[in-house]
């Protein structure tokens, strides 16, 4: 795993196919002030990865931030039956085989609120995603809300597709199909973006693509220019 700050790490996982593109997978790990671990969008479990986590602390929370990021939750739940699993309502409906201990709602903070603020990004008719802000390190964590793939990971044809979709670094943003689904909810989304900007994040970790660790405010404003934020 790669350390981002004193209490934040990322683990890089395997590539999975999604709409004809090779999607990298990334897990974010936060060690809470209580010493327990919070795992965002877990990648495939391996004994080697577990050994690294064992050096950091016990796994307490498993977070599935939207309805697409669920591939490896069940195997982590099997390895850590004591861990609490949190997800969106849509994922709970989709995966009846997983035990969920809590759901993300617009106004109810998570049990980790002393360390991590959260926001359910709504306004789309297609999908909602919970985003997180680690207060001590000022790290913003998103899943598909912003994607920022390096051009080097794609073939020339895939690169053209990724650019047309809007997910190619250094100008990554929300994929176009999801953007179009905010046709009736842009005002709601603008309010969410203003809340995110008010956190003043210094680092942006995405599940897919290059991490942004400078001028994050500028990057976010450019990525969400389609919302017409003034």
């Amino acid at each position: 795993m790669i350390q981002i700050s004193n209490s934040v790490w990322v683990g890089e996982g395997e590539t999975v196919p999604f709409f004809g593109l090779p999607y990298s997978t990334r897990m974010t790990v936060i060690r809470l002030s209580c010493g327990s671990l919070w795992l965002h969008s877990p990648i495939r479990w391996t004994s080697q990865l577990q050994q690294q986590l064992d050096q950091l602390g016990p796994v307490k929370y498993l977070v599935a931030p939207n309805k697409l990021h669920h591939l490896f939750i069940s195997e982590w739940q099997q390895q850590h039956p004591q861990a609490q699993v949190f997800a969106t309502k849509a994922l709970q409906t989709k995966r009846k085989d997983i035990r969920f201990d809590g759901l993300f709602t617009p106004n109810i903070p998570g049990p980790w609120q002393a360390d991590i603020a959260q926001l359910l990004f709504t306004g789309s008719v297609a999908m909602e995603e919970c985003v997180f802000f680690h207060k001590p390190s000022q790290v913003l964590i998103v899943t598909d809300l912003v994607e920022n793939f390096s051009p080097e990971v794609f073939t020339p044809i895939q690169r053209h597709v990724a650019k047309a979709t809007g997910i190619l670094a250094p100008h990554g943003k929300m994929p176009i199909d999801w953007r179009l689904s905010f046709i009736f909810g842009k005002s709601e989304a603008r309010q969410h973006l203003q809340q995110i900007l008010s956190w003043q994040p210094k680092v942006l970790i995405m599940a897919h693509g290059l991490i942004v660790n400078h001028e994050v405010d500028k990057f976010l404003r450019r990525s969400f220019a389609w919302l017409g934020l003034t």
Side-chain angles (χ1 to χ4, degrees), residues 4 26 138-140 146 148 169-170 172 201-206 209-220 222-223:
I4 303 299
R26 173 182 292 139
Q138 294 181 279
V139 171
L140 176 66
V146 181
N148 192 46
K202 301 302 182 184
V203 179
L204 170 59
I205 298 176
M206 293 155 280
L210 300 175
I211 293 172
V212 179
N213 53 22
H214 66 282
E215 297 186 327
V216 173
D217 183 274
K218 181 179 179 180
F219 179 89
L220 288 171
R222 183 178 66 234
S223 293

Side-chain angles (χ1 to χ4, degrees), residues 9-78:
W9 295 261
V10 295
E12 304 294 345
E14 64 196 68
T15 298
V16 297
F18 188 71
F19 284 104
L21 295 177
Y23 264 61
S24 55
T25 56
R26 173 182 292 139
M27 172 176 69
T28 302
V29 178
I30 293 179
R31 183 166 55 203
L32 303 174
S33 54
C34 65
S36 298
L37 302 183
W38 178 94
L39 274 56
H40 175 274
S41 189
I43 57 178
R44 187 182 298 279
W45 183 92
T46 66
S47 58
Q48 181 180 12
L49 181 57
Q50 185 60 58
Q51 290 174 4
Q52 295 179 59
L53 292 176
D54 288 342
Q55 297 177 22
L56 302 179
V59 175
K60 187 172 184 178
Y61 299 111
L62 302 172
V63 173
N66 65 35
K67 68 179 182 181
L68 299 179
H69 280 246
H70 59 86
L71 293 181
F72 308 115
I73 287 289
S74 59
E75 60 187 57
W76 279 92
Q77 192 172 55
Q78 292 172 9

Side-chain angles (χ1 to χ4, degrees), residues 74-86:
S74 59
E75 60 187 57
W76 279 92
Q77 192 172 55
Q78 292 172 9
Q79 294 293 330
H80 298 275
Q82 80 289 349
Q84 298 180 39
V85 180
F86 286 76

Side-chain angles (χ1 to χ4, degrees), residues 86-110:
F86 286 76
T88 61
K89 178 64 176 178
L91 183 55
Q92 182 191 48
T93 301
K94 182 177 182 179
R95 292 294 303 269
K96 300 293 187 181
D97 58 311
I98 297 176
R99 184 203 79 238
F100 294 100
D101 302 285
L103 298 178
F104 300 124
T105 57
N107 300 311
I108 300 178

Side-chain angles (χ1 to χ4, degrees), residues 190 193-194 197 221 224-225 227-230:
R190 279 193 292 270
L193 178 58
Q194 288 173 330
L197 293 173
R221 289 180 183 276
F224 286 94
L227 282 179
L229 182 67
T230 57

Side-chain angles (χ1 to χ4, degrees), residues 130-175:
C130 201
V131 301
F132 304 91
F133 179 68
H134 183 236
K135 302 172 188 178
S137 62
Q138 294 181 279
V139 171
L140 176 66
I141 304 162
V142 306
T143 314
D144 299 310
L145 199 72
V146 181
E147 297 175 0
N148 192 46
F149 286 94
S150 168
E152 298 177 359
V153 305
F154 296 129
T155 65
I157 293 177
Q158 290 173 337
R159 200 173 301 135
H160 285 298
V161 173
K163 185 175 181 179
T165 305
I167 59 174
L168 201 64
H171 303 297
K173 56 178 69 71
M174 183 185 292

